[in-house]
Amino acid sequence: MSNVRVIIWGLGAMGIGMGRMIAAKQGIEIVGAIDTHPEKAQKQLSQVLGVAAPDVEVTSDPTKVIKPGAADVVLVCTGSFTREVYPQLELVAKAGINCITIAEEVAYPAAQEPALAQSLHKMYDEAGVTLLGTGINPGFVLDALIIALSGVCTHVESIRAVRVNDLAPFGPTVMRTQGVGTTPAEFHSGIESGKIVGHVGFPESMSLIATALGIKLDRIEQVKEPIISDTYRETPHVKVAPGMVAGCKHIAYGYSGGKLVLTLEHPQQIRPEAESVNTGDYIYITGVPNISMAIAPEIPGGIGTIAMTVNMIPAVINASPGLVTMADLPIPRALMGDISALIKR
Amino acid sequence: MSNVRVIIWGLGAMGIGMGRMIAAKQGIEIVGAIDTHPEKAQKQLSQVLGVAAPDVEVTSDPTKVIKPGAADVVLVCTGSFTREVYPQLELVAKAGINCITIAEEVAYPAAQEPALAQSLHKMYDEAGVTLLGTGINPGFVLDALIIALSGVCTHVESIRAVRVNDLAPFGPTVMRTQGVGTTPAEFHSGIESGKIVGHVGFPESMSLIATALGIKLDRIEQVKEPIISDTYRETPHVKVAPGMVAGCKHIAYGYSGGKLVLTLEHPQQIRPEAESVNTGDYIYITGVPNISMAIAPEIPGGIGTIAMTVNMIPAVINASPGLVTMADLPIPRALMGDISALIKR
């Protein structure tokens, strides 16, 4: 069978990781790559990836590669927000190609952008191809995995899940958007101005869970608090003195019928071990039966997002047309064999 | 929308649990029930379930209720082996009704009964309906959940998973099939004669995982060893003196290219806490990244099987025709809303 053909749009850390992963797999190949960064555009893909790769030149002009019949799927790794990636998703749909994006909001775009979600569904449906938003979170830890675990319950009363991670591997952008290295006063004004955003994806994960389980959420509340350090912590990109902010504790609460039914917590900070905080992913379902799950240390965000995106490619190509979510598709899985053999033709 | 209509075939502990679960849900109803036990046949369903239920008389004659158009799905809870439930699954297919069974081998019948699996697929496909084998294990803990977790991996080297449970809640049949209360000599001769079976479902779980991940298994080895008690343990059904057998440690090994890639362990015993053994479900993936998951205590087997079976009903009704596995269907989920609204018509 012929190889699954992939175009990667956005060669940041995630896009590059996907490129390397695909280069190491059977039955799949990269046929196009798009990035506007002057250090990447016009280079050979293998040079940008740092591994052997097909003879593909990275282009800064999407219309050069996103063309009808050019690929089986485009991986869009350029932004976080539906509004931001919408024109790119539209270009892919117009070319009649399936699409997976790691834009957090597109994991369930109807949560915050119902009109855009509807038009995305319409354009992909009409083009006969499929659009999925995924990643580690949203996409798995704080939604799909919770949904899957709830399958062993005859009744669910409430759910609480916590993802405790370490931001130390990340660069200056993440430090800024999480408020790492600010004073508490700077943190609060950063939250107000929108400069500090915390985690992107809570309304999407909440809506994914609620829709899958058939729970009607009346409202979602979000709280973002500074994690004030008692100790000195540093990374190559930031220094945090005691009394300064080591990260953002972002919590979302979902209410149904006035009752708290969903609590998702994502305290993100650098070097949590400095204060004996262990990283991990924790899911607690109160119901029949109660379920208490721990993955420790936590599933690493970067590799997890790269893996989930590439691993969902066959499911997306095989799916019914339109905008879909992780709750609509078969359970994710690692792809260790010939990927071309998984495509229903 | 009209209610989802269910027939339950087999009113043992599992069938009764499903009946009670369905009776408490919206948009779904029991329209038929089959059991040959003289204490159950000809009784009113509500009497057998011990809860309010539709006005349905339990029948001992399957052909009275398994008729074209009589239901949307039949839940077959009568046996463990493909060969054993095959005639029942055939009757359901001939009536053109979807079917879910908790017969362990039907979770992946091709593992041990490839010819029967093929003819089951053919008859369900031709009838335009779907057949799924599920339950807690096989069906979830030692297969579907492992598959789902592997989705965060770019590469999987090997997988080991352990389900440690307590057999104390179970009755005489389980004590006998697990060898609880035997001497070590009796245990070994029971294994040889097939009287002591250990866990049913390892080849099925292994095949489910291997097929989903695209790993070719050359061979599966199974080892069943007595768990010899150092302490006195008892339940209402059995007494185990020190030196006697408290349960069966059943392990399956899956090899690919001569290399051990899958290890599934299921030590089942009464009162493991007597020797400080904690129950739990544990999954360890060696790969990129490594994943270490714990659910402690373990997901209870009875409720888990009941829940998973009922919770998969909408996915099975909506699925493409034929024999399917848990790896083919959307991720499981608890059903807390109107179940009839989930059916694609």
Side-chain angles (χ1 to χ4, degrees), chain B residues 272-285:
Chain B
E273 74 282 4
E275 297 184 16
S276 302
V277 172
N278 293 317
T279 63
D281 296 317
Y282 307 94
I283 296 173
Y284 309 100
I285 301 178

Side-chain angles (χ1 to χ4, degrees), chain A residues 1-338:
Chain A
M1 270 159 283
S2 57
N3 280 349
V4 171
R5 298 161 304 148
V6 184
I7 293 170
I8 303 180
W9 191 336
L11 292 170
M14 295 300 98
I16 286 179
M18 292 172 203
R20 288 177 181 161
M21 179 175 170
I22 290 168
K25 296 280 174 193
Q26 278 172 50
I28 188 167
E29 62 179 318
I30 304 166
V31 296
I34 306 163
D35 201 289
T36 52
H37 196 287
E39 280 192 12
K40 290 169 188 164
Q42 275 69 60
K43 288 231 167 108
Q44 279 302 108
L45 180 62
S46 58
Q47 240 182 313
V48 177
L49 298 185
V51 298
D55 188 20
V56 164
E57 190 185 280
V58 179
T59 177
S60 57
D61 180 1
T63 60
K64 273 198 178 157
V65 290
I66 311 279
K67 290 176 182 172
D72 299 302
V73 65
V74 179
L75 309 180
V76 173
C77 314
T78 55
S80 291
F81 306 102
T82 304
R83 203 160 280 273
E84 186 185 6
V85 296
Y86 186 87
Q88 304 173 354
L89 304 181
E90 194 176 21
L91 189 73
V92 177
K94 282 191 173 152
I97 308 178
N98 298 288
C99 185
I100 307 179
T101 179
I102 59 170
E104 286 94 327
E105 284 188 0
V106 183
Y108 198 97
Q112 303 199 71
E113 300 279 11
L116 295 186
Q118 210 174 352
S119 74
L120 284 170
H121 178 65
K122 192 164 174 281
M123 69 175 79
Y124 275 82
D125 191 35
E126 285 175 359
V129 287
T130 306
L131 169 64
L132 170 71
T134 193
I136 199 68
N137 187 33
F140 192 68
V141 174
L142 293 182
D143 41 57
L145 183 56
I146 295 172
I147 294 168
L149 284 173
S150 80
V152 306
C153 298
T154 61
H155 177 78
V156 171
E157 196 61 35
S158 64
I159 296 171
R160 179 172 164 253
V162 187
R163 176 159 166 81
V164 185
N165 64 342
D166 181 2
L167 294 178
F170 292 91
T173 310
V174 170
M175 295 305 111
R176 197 173 59 239
T177 57
Q178 302 298 328
V180 182
T182 62
T183 65
E186 286 166 351
F187 182 92
H188 290 293
S189 70
I191 291 284
E192 258 177 60
S193 71
K195 223 183 81 186
I196 298 174
V197 294
H199 171 60
V200 177
F202 274 139
E204 290 72 22
S205 290
M206 291 243 163
S207 303
L208 253 172
I209 297 168
T211 304
L213 272 62
I215 295 170
K216 252 207 180 84
L217 289 184
D218 315 324
R219 70 178 199 282
I220 295 170
E221 278 173 15
Q222 295 191 62
V223 176
K224 298 171 198 172
E225 284 177 356
I227 300 171
I228 295 171
S229 196
D230 284 334
T231 53
Y232 179 76
R233 314 187 195 182
E234 68 167 277
T235 79
H237 298 288
V238 70
K239 293 180 203 311
V240 174
M244 281 173 69
V245 175
C248 176
K249 185 174 182 177
H250 193 164
I251 306 181
Y253 301 97
Y255 295 85
S256 178
K259 200 179 140 276
L260 179 64
V261 292
L262 286 179
T263 306
L264 302 180
E265 305 182 15
H266 196 8
Q268 302 198 80
Q269 62 196 296
I270 58 160
R271 308 222 174 280
E273 75 281 5
E275 296 183 18
S276 301
V277 172
N278 293 316
T279 63
D281 296 316
Y282 307 94
I283 296 173
Y284 309 100
I285 301 178
T286 302
V288 183
N290 294 326
I291 301 289
S292 170
M293 187 221 71
I295 296 174
E298 90 283 14
I299 300 173
I303 304 175
T305 294
I306 290 163
M308 191 57 76
T309 306
V310 174
N311 286 334
M312 291 308 290
I313 289 175
V316 166
I317 295 176
N318 291 336
S320 310
L323 169 65
V324 299
T325 72
M326 286 297 286
D328 300 319
L329 298 182
I331 54 174
R333 68 209 55 195
L335 303 178
M336 297 305 298
D338 180 348

Side-chain angles (χ1 to χ4, degrees), chain B residues 8-244:
Chain B
I8 303 180
W9 191 338
L11 292 169
M14 295 300 97
I16 286 179
M18 292 173 204
R20 289 177 180 161
M21 178 175 170
I22 290 168
K25 297 281 173 191
Q26 278 172 51
I28 188 167
E29 63 179 318
I30 305 167
V31 296
I34 307 163
D35 200 289
T36 51
H37 196 287
E39 279 191 13
K40 290 168 187 165
Q42 276 68 61
K43 289 231 168 108
Q44 279 302 109
L45 180 63
S46 57
Q47 241 182 310
V48 177
L49 297 185
V51 298
D55 188 20
V56 164
E57 190 185 278
V58 179
T59 177
S60 57
D61 179 2
T63 61
K64 272 198 179 157
V65 290
I66 311 279
K67 289 175 179 169
D72 299 301
V73 65
V74 179
L75 309 180
V76 173
C77 313
T78 55
S80 291
F81 306 101
T82 304
R83 204 159 279 275
E84 184 185 9
V85 296
Y86 185 89
Q88 303 173 353
L89 303 182
E90 193 175 21
L91 188 73
V92 177
K94 282 189 174 154
I97 308 178
N98 298 289
C99 184
I100 307 179
T101 178
I102 59 170
E104 286 93 327
E105 285 189 358
V106 183
Y108 198 95
Q112 302 197 75
E113 300 278 13
L116 295 185
Q118 212 174 352
S119 75
L120 284 170
H121 178 66
K122 192 164 175 281
M123 70 174 78
Y124 275 83
D125 191 36
E126 284 174 1
V129 288
T130 306
L131 168 64
L132 171 71
T134 193
I136 199 67
N137 186 35
F140 192 68
V141 174
L142 293 182
D143 41 55
L145 183 56
I146 294 172
I147 294 168
L149 284 174
S150 80
V152 305
C153 298
T154 60
H155 177 79
V156 171
E157 196 62 34
S158 63
I159 296 170
R160 179 172 164 253
V162 188
R163 176 160 167 81
V164 185
N165 64 341
D166 181 2
L167 294 178
F170 292 90
T173 310
V174 170
M175 295 305 113
R176 198 173 58 242
T177 58
Q178 302 298 327
V180 182
T182 62
T183 65
E186 287 165 353
F187 182 92
H188 290 294
S189 68
I191 292 284
E192 258 177 59
S193 72
K195 224 183 80 185
I196 298 174
V197 293
H199 171 60
V200 178
F202 274 139
E204 290 72 22
S205 290
M206 289 243 165
S207 303
L208 253 171
I209 297 169
T211 305
L213 271 62
I215 295 171
K216 250 202 184 88
L217 288 184
D218 315 324
R219 69 178 200 280
I220 295 170
E221 279 172 16
Q222 295 191 62
V223 175
K224 299 170 196 173
E225 283 177 356
I227 299 171
I228 297 171
S229 196
D230 285 333
T231 53
Y232 179 78
R233 315 187 194 182
E234 69 167 278
T235 79
H237 300 287
V238 70
K239 292 181 206 309
V240 174
M244 282 173 68

Side-chain angles (χ1 to χ4, degrees), chain B residues 278-300:
Chain B
N278 293 317
T279 63
D281 296 317
Y282 307 94
I283 296 173
Y284 309 100
I285 301 178
T286 301
V288 182
N290 294 325
I291 300 289
S292 171
M293 188 222 70
I295 296 173
E298 89 283 14
I299 300 172

